[in-house]
Amino acid sequence: PCAGPVESKNEAAMSELVPEPRQKPVVPMKPMGINASLLGYIGIDTIIEQMRKKTMKTGFDFNIMVVGQSGLGKSTLVNTLFKSQVSRKSSGWNREEKIPKTVEIKAIGHVIEEGGVKMKLTVIDTPGFGDQINNENCWEPIEKYINEQYEKFLKEEVNIARKKRIPDTRVHCCLYFISPTGHSLRPLDLEFMKHLSKVVNIIPVIAKADTMTLEEKTEFKQRVRKELEVNGIEFYPQKEFDEDLEDKTENDKIRQESMPFAVVGSDKEYQVNGKRVLGRKTPWGIIEVENLNHCEFALLRDFVIRTHLQDLKEVTHNIHYETYRAKRLNDNGGLPPMTVETEENHESNL
């Protein structure tokens, strides 16, 4: 009679120990090969439209620097490129201004809108470059300016409270103007490009190409290409940054045929065969800026704006800025540079 309660106790203990039967996990079905006809339209391709809408809302920055002796038509060419008064004249500078004793850097910002897309364009001019009797090291202020913009971007990037969109003042493209001598590059040209090609995308341009005959122009272009190659000067688009065979084929053609672009700039309109054209009037006729038989301006415009603008920005960010950033962090023992806020706190603690 006393065994009953003991057994019932044991049974209760056993029932506590025996786990409840678990449900079998659902085995996932084997993934089937995607059958487009079965699934129909997915909509992956709309990402392009989404990106386009976002870019149209926010706009984008593009910063172009022009370097060369005065009188080569740098400002006129930039105005012609962007079909508006984006250089010098619009900022109230005049031709009577004295040549600066040293290189000055003048940056002018504009917002250009086309087809609903906004571009914040900054033109960086370098009056005084190459205009002195002694031009030794005259590229240094330009190199300093370019590096200062990288530093500014880096400091914004390492801030604890980062801006959602860091203002981009980095120089994406440097148009280097070569005098149309028809002979060879000056030592100054070579020195500038040798130093600066490591920190910025340089596009060499032969200015005022209408001062040379067709034969002189072809010969001069070949000579300039040869001199750049002999001196180991890399200009944009650099061979090592070609991403695939299509890029290589396209860029090889530009490197071997178009570079340096022999251009003529003009912001004056003339009537030619019933059409309004941008051109330069000479005693023997009108030189049409956008006519490929007259000059290579249209090639330069298509190259900088219509085919390679995004790549210029990417090479600036992924190559030139990254090189600067790595060196800066390395020099600082792997630590980010002190931001303005940190410097102020540091000083107040002393």
Side-chain angles (χ1 to χ4, degrees):
C2 61
V6 174
E7 275 174 17
S8 62
K9 272 183 190 176
N10 288 345
E11 279 168 16
M14 285 293 287
S15 66
E16 277 175 26
L17 290 171
V18 175
E20 284 183 24
R22 284 184 191 170
Q23 283 189 342
K24 269 189 174 182
V26 179
V27 179
M29 285 174 66
K30 282 185 181 176
M32 291 167 63
I34 291 176
N35 184 336
S37 60
L38 174 70
L39 295 173
Y41 176 65
I42 304 169
I44 298 164
D45 58 353
T46 60
I47 186 71
I48 305 298
E49 183 58 22
Q50 293 168 43
M51 287 160 76
R52 192 183 74 86
K53 278 184 180 171
K54 201 161 190 180
T55 306
M56 283 175 80
K57 272 185 196 171
T58 56
F60 65 96
D61 302 296
F62 186 61
N63 309 316
I64 186 167
M65 178 181 262
V66 287
V67 181
Q69 280 179 295
S70 47
L72 291 178
K74 301 188 295 294
S75 307
T76 307
L77 186 86
V78 174
N79 288 342
T80 318
L81 265 178
F82 297 100
K83 292 193 184 293
S84 55
Q85 298 291 319
V86 293
S87 189
R88 282 211 179 187
K89 290 175 188 174
S90 57
S91 65
W93 301 344
N94 57 53
R95 292 180 185 277
E96 285 71 47
E97 276 186 2
K98 285 180 183 174
I99 293 169
K101 287 183 179 171
T102 55
V103 179
E104 290 178 10
I105 313 280
K106 297 195 175 187
I108 313 153
H110 303 265
V111 174
I112 296 177
E113 193 168 341
E114 188 178 60
V117 179
K118 279 184 197 158
M119 173 169 82
K120 189 185 173 222
L121 172 72
T122 303
V123 178
I124 303 118
D125 201 352
T126 54
F129 178 84
D131 293 337
Q132 310 307 317
I133 294 165
N134 178 10
N135 287 304
E136 198 180 348
N137 299 344
C138 66
W139 59 83
E140 284 180 356
I142 295 168
E143 188 172 15
K144 183 172 176 269
Y145 176 86
I146 292 166
N147 284 331
E148 277 170 358
Q149 307 321 304
Y150 291 147
E151 182 68 14
K152 203 184 282 187
F153 196 89
L154 177 58
K155 281 188 173 174
E156 285 289 353
E157 223 178 23
V158 298
N159 261 338
I160 293 167
R162 285 200 298 192
K163 290 175 183 168
K164 190 180 174 188
R165 192 162 175 260
I166 298 171
D168 192 359
T169 59
R170 297 169 298 181
V171 181
H172 300 122
C173 169
C174 171
L175 292 181
Y176 186 78
F177 285 69
I178 298 162
S179 298
T181 59
H183 300 299
S184 56
L185 291 171
R186 298 168 305 159
L188 174 62
D189 300 327
L190 292 168
E191 282 296 317
F192 177 87
M193 287 191 265
K194 202 176 280 183
H195 281 84
L196 273 289
S197 61
K198 295 178 179 74
V199 296
V200 71
N201 295 318
I202 289 182
I203 298 175
V205 168
I206 297 168
K208 298 198 168 177
D210 53 327
T211 59
M212 294 187 285
T213 66
L214 292 175
E215 290 80 12
E216 284 170 343
K217 187 171 78 178
T218 307
E219 204 177 298
F220 188 43
K221 277 167 69 89
Q222 286 171 351
R223 196 174 293 146
V224 168
R225 278 200 295 270
K226 186 75 185 158
E227 285 188 59
L228 291 172
E229 192 185 328
V230 166
N231 286 277
I233 295 165
E234 283 278 339
F235 51 81
Y236 179 85
Q238 299 92 327
K239 287 176 191 171
E240 64 264 38
F241 307 147
D242 292 341
E243 287 185 6
D244 51 38
L245 191 60
E246 190 188 346
D247 273 5
K248 188 183 182 310
T249 310
E250 187 187 343
N251 290 339
D252 273 346
K253 197 175 179 217
I254 292 160
R255 286 186 283 257
Q256 290 158 20
E257 294 172 25
S258 306
M259 289 284 184
F261 295 96
V263 297
V264 177
S266 173
D267 37 21
K268 288 187 180 153
E269 286 190 353
Y270 294 97
Q271 195 86 15
V272 176
N273 300 329
K275 280 196 305 181
R276 301 289 292 169
V277 297
L278 286 170
R280 276 167 61 86
K281 196 172 187 177
T282 68
W284 49 88
I286 306 279
I287 292 153
E288 297 170 41
V289 165
E290 299 197 34
N291 186 335
L292 281 174
N293 295 321
H294 294 197
C295 83
E296 293 168 353
F297 170 80
L299 287 178
L300 173 68
R301 192 244 350 259
D302 290 356
F303 175 62
V304 171
I305 300 170
R306 299 182 185 180
T307 62
H308 284 67
L309 190 145
Q310 182 58 29
D311 190 61
L312 280 162
K313 286 168 66 72
E314 282 174 14
V315 171
T316 300
H317 182 76
N318 299 330
I319 311 294
H320 298 305
Y321 168 67
E322 207 52 42
T323 305
Y324 177 86
R325 180 182 162 279
K327 185 182 181 302
R328 189 79 173 80
L329 295 179
N330 193 42
D331 291 348
N332 216 21
L335 296 167
M338 288 174 79
T339 62
V340 178
E341 290 165 27
T342 333
E343 281 165 8
E344 283 169 3
N345 293 344
H346 180 68
E347 281 167 19
S348 64
N349 291 335
L350 293 174

